[in-house]
Amino acid sequence: FINNNKLRYKINNKKFYKITGHKITSVQRRSKYLIINLSRGLSILAHLGMTGKFFITDKNNKKYKTSFYYSIKKDESKHDHLTFYLSKGLKLIYNDVRKFGFVKLFKDKNIYQCKHLKYLGPEPLNKEFNLNYVVKYFLYKKIKIKDLLMNQKFVAGLGNIYCNEILFLCKINPWRTVDSLKKEELLNIVKFTKKILKISIIKGGSSIKNFANTDGKNGNFQQRFNVYNRERKNCKKKNCLSVIQKIFISNRSSFFCPMCQK
C-alpha cells in the first residue's frame, strides 16, 4: 500500500504491486543502502536519507524495531509513506519525515549495476581498502583530500563527520591536495579510517540531530569528537594552544586544528 509516492524518487506503483506473494529471503547492506532480497529474482533497494526508518507492526498494531531501525516515537504515522503487508498480520512500514530517502525495485541480477551501487568504492572496513588501493587511487590526483574521502567512488559509506575526525588523527589539513601526501600519511588514512569506524560502531554511532542507533538510542561517539562541530573551542591535543576552525570545502563544513593539521 502506497500512502505517498513522492519521496526522493517517485515510487513506481505498478512495479511494487508485482511483489505480492513474494518472500523476503535476506537483508544486506552496501554503503548507505539497504538491499531486501525477495524470492522470484527481485530485490528492494532502500536509502534512508536523513530521517527515513522502517518499522514492523504486529496484528495488534504494536510497533517493533529491527536491526536497521531508528527510535520509535508516538504520533508519527502521518509520515508512513509505504506499507508492505506480510504474513501473520505483520506490516513493514517505511516512515520518513523529510522524505530524502527512497525505495526502488530491481531484478536482483541487475541491482549491483544500477546507478546507486555500480560505482561505489570498497567498504572501509574490508581488506580491499588498503594501502596499495589508496596509493593507486591517489596517484597524481590534485583533488583536495577532504573531497576525495567524501567521494563514494573512492570509499563507500564515509560521511562528513568521520572524514573530519580521520584527517585530524592523520594530522592532515583538509585543504591539502592528494598529490602532496606522503606514503606514511596515506597509510594513516587507511589505519585511522578503520579505527574510528570501529570505535564509532562500539559507541553506537554519532547523534547530532535525528540519528539514533539500532536500539533506538542516541549514539555516544559525538562525545569523542576532536574537531567536528567544535568551532572556536580549544584543541584537545595535549600542549596544543590552538582553537578549532571551521571552513567550507565543496559546500560542506570542515573542522580542523591549524596547528596540528598541516
Side-chain angles (χ1 to χ4, degrees):
F1 179 76
I2 299 169
N3 257 347
N4 179 9
N5 65 3
K6 295 178 181 179
L7 301 178
R8 192 197 306 181
Y9 302 107
K10 188 175 180 179
I11 295 174
N12 188 318
N13 299 34
K14 290 183 179 179
K15 261 190 178 183
F16 268 91
Y17 284 123
K18 290 180 180 179
I19 68 175
T20 301
H22 290 233
K23 292 182 179 180
I24 297 175
T25 57
S26 62
V27 179
Q28 298 172 277
R29 179 195 61 79
R30 177 70 170 109
S31 183
K32 300 176 183 180
Y33 299 90
L34 292 170
I35 302 171
I36 303 173
N37 295 309
L38 307 175
S39 58
R40 306 182 205 171
L42 292 176
S43 293
I44 296 169
L45 182 71
H47 191 292
L48 300 177
M50 297 291 290
T51 58
K53 47 199 169 190
F54 281 99
F55 294 125
I56 281 183
T57 63
D58 62 17
K59 60 184 179 181
N60 297 316
N61 215 32
K62 183 178 179 181
K63 287 184 177 180
Y64 297 88
K65 50 187 181 287
T66 75
S67 60
F68 47 85
Y69 280 79
Y70 288 30
S71 58
I72 293 178
K73 298 176 182 178
K74 294 180 179 180
D75 303 322
E76 59 180 358
S77 59
K78 64 181 179 181
H79 302 296
D80 293 347
H81 304 302
L82 188 61
T83 301
F84 299 92
Y85 289 87
L86 309 178
S87 58
K88 299 180 181 179
L90 299 178
K91 289 183 282 188
L92 177 65
I93 300 170
Y94 179 70
N95 176 290
D96 193 346
V97 176
R98 300 179 72 181
K99 294 184 285 189
F100 289 160
F102 69 82
V103 182
K104 290 185 176 183
L105 187 67
F106 291 91
K107 291 182 178 179
D108 56 12
K109 64 181 180 181
N110 299 331
I111 193 166
Y112 285 100
Q113 294 303 309
C114 76
K115 66 178 183 179
H116 306 290
L117 303 181
K118 185 175 182 178
Y119 301 106
L120 289 175
E123 297 281 333
L125 294 179
N126 285 1
K127 61 182 180 181
E128 288 80 9
F129 184 64
N130 55 40
L131 179 61
N132 288 336
Y133 169 78
V134 171
V135 169
K136 290 178 182 177
Y137 202 100
F138 276 34
L139 203 60
Y140 308 126
K141 286 184 170 60
K142 293 187 179 296
I143 187 174
K144 293 182 181 66
I145 179 57
K146 172 72 185 306
D147 283 337
L148 191 58
L149 286 178
M150 293 286 291
N151 187 339
Q152 302 299 297
K153 294 180 182 179
F154 167 59
V155 58
L158 283 186
N160 193 34
I161 291 174
Y162 296 101
C163 291
N164 281 277
E165 295 299 310
I166 289 164
L167 290 176
F168 175 79
L169 293 183
C170 293
K171 301 178 182 179
I172 297 172
N173 190 297
W175 278 113
R176 283 181 63 184
T177 55
V178 168
D179 60 347
S180 72
L181 299 176
K182 299 175 183 177
K183 191 172 182 179
E184 182 181 355
E185 291 174 311
L186 300 183
L187 179 60
N188 282 337
I189 286 174
V190 174
K191 181 175 74 172
F192 287 117
T193 295
K194 294 178 184 290
K195 180 178 179 179
I196 281 180
L197 291 179
K198 287 177 180 177
I199 292 172
S200 180
I201 289 169
I202 292 170
K203 294 293 182 181
S206 307
S207 295
I208 301 300
K209 187 175 181 181
N210 298 109
F211 174 79
N213 66 20
T214 54
D215 292 321
K217 298 176 182 177
N218 288 340
N220 294 312
F221 186 72
Q222 73 276 6
Q223 297 171 8
R224 299 177 63 101
F225 287 169
N226 288 296
V227 290
Y228 188 81
N229 218 22
R230 298 192 67 248
E231 181 185 10
R232 298 178 184 174
K233 293 184 179 179
N234 293 334
C235 177
K236 289 184 177 181
K237 190 173 180 181
K238 190 176 180 180
N239 299 325
C240 180
L241 302 178
S242 186
V243 295
I244 304 304
Q245 292 185 9
K246 179 181 180 179
I247 57 174
F248 287 91
I249 298 176
S250 299
N251 296 319
R252 297 301 298 269
S253 56
S254 294
F255 301 86
F256 73 103
C257 173
M259 290 294 292
C260 296
Q261 294 172 253
K262 301 296 185 181

